[in-house]
């Protein structure tokens, strides 16, 4: 079962309002995971990088060889604070989301409220892009390609 189908089925079982964001972008291989839960893709000690939705491939590529934990969320809300806290080895978190940069930073901050920490939110910038071409070019223009992510993550986490 693909990620979108799993999310839609989980939403249909509930009785509250749900926002489902679908995209033509996808990870190379659908990532297993329970809706609403973070999936650990890699464990490290120098910080945590949380990849949301179709940006997991770029985050995994960007963090190759870095001593960081990589978590994946098909959806960020509600945030699986328990897994984030359980896997946190260093107080620095980079959140990489496919929408406006910083959108979900408050959720991470709230989950870590009682712990000293820093959060960097990466995502689409506020500057309007009118001529960016392909989805890959759009990601690069917003610094969401693997090369740009590696520079941002490395600088923030000092790895």
């Amino acid at each position: 079962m693909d990620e979108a189908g799993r999310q839609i089925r989980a939403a249909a079982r509930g009785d509250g309002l749900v926002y489902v964001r679908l995209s033509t972008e996808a990870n190379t291989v659908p990532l297993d995971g329970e809706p609403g839960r973070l999936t650990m893709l890699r464990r490290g000690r120098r910080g945590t990088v949380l990849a949301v939705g179709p940006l997991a491939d770029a985050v995994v590529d960007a963090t190759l060889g870095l001593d960081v934990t990589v978590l994946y969320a098909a959806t960020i809300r509600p945030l699986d604070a328990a897994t984030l806290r359980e896997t946190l080895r260093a107080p620095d978190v980079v959140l990489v989301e496919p929408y406006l940069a910083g959108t979900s930073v408050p959720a991470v901050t709230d989950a870590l409220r009682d712990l000293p920490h820093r959060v960097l939110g990466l995502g689409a910038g506020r500057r309007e892009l009118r001529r960016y071409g392909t989805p890959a070019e759009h990601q690069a223009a917003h610094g969401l390609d693997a090369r740009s992510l590696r520079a941002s993550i490395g600088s923030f986490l000092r790895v």
Side-chain angles (χ1 to χ4, degrees), residues 33-44:
E34 183 181 331
R37 296 288 313 228
L38 295 175
T39 301
M40 183 177 302
L41 303 179
R42 183 181 306 130
R43 181 179 288 282

Side-chain angles (χ1 to χ4, degrees), residues 1 4 11 26 34 37 45 48 51 70 79 82 89 114 136 146-148:
M1 179 182 343
E34 183 181 331
R37 296 288 313 228
R45 298 177 307 224
T48 298
V70 177
L79 178 64
R89 298 288 176 258
D114 61 324
R147 187 179 57 79
S148 300

Side-chain angles (χ1 to χ4, degrees), residues 4-140:
R6 212 172 10 258
Q7 295 299 321
I8 291 169
R9 285 177 186 79
R13 286 190 297 270
D15 60 358
L17 296 176
V18 177
Y19 170 80
V20 178
R21 181 181 189 269
L22 300 175
S23 171
T24 58
E25 297 303 298
N27 297 307
T28 306
V29 176
L31 297 166
D32 289 331
E34 183 181 331
R37 296 288 313 228
L38 295 175
T39 301
M40 183 177 302
L41 303 179
R42 183 181 306 130
R43 181 179 288 282
R45 298 177 307 224
R46 304 279 309 273
T48 298
V49 183
L50 175 51
V52 179
L55 292 175
D57 286 348
V59 168
V60 167
D61 289 348
T63 58
L64 282 176
L66 301 181
D67 187 15
V68 298
T69 295
V70 177
L71 299 174
Y72 168 73
T75 180
I76 196 72
R77 291 191 193 97
L79 178 64
D80 178 6
T83 300
L84 177 62
R85 292 175 67 91
E86 289 167 10
T87 60
L88 199 66
R89 298 288 176 258
D92 299 325
V93 178
V94 178
L95 173 62
V96 184
E97 50 194 341
Y99 21 81
L100 190 60
T103 298
S104 302
V105 166
V108 173
T109 298
D110 191 49
L112 305 176
R113 184 168 308 285
D114 61 324
L115 301 172
H117 66 278
R118 297 182 317 145
V119 181
L120 172 64
L122 300 175
R126 293 190 179 276
R127 181 175 54 96
E128 182 179 347
L129 300 177
R130 293 178 180 253
R131 294 190 183 114
Y132 50 78
T134 67
E137 290 169 328
H138 180 258
Q139 286 184 344

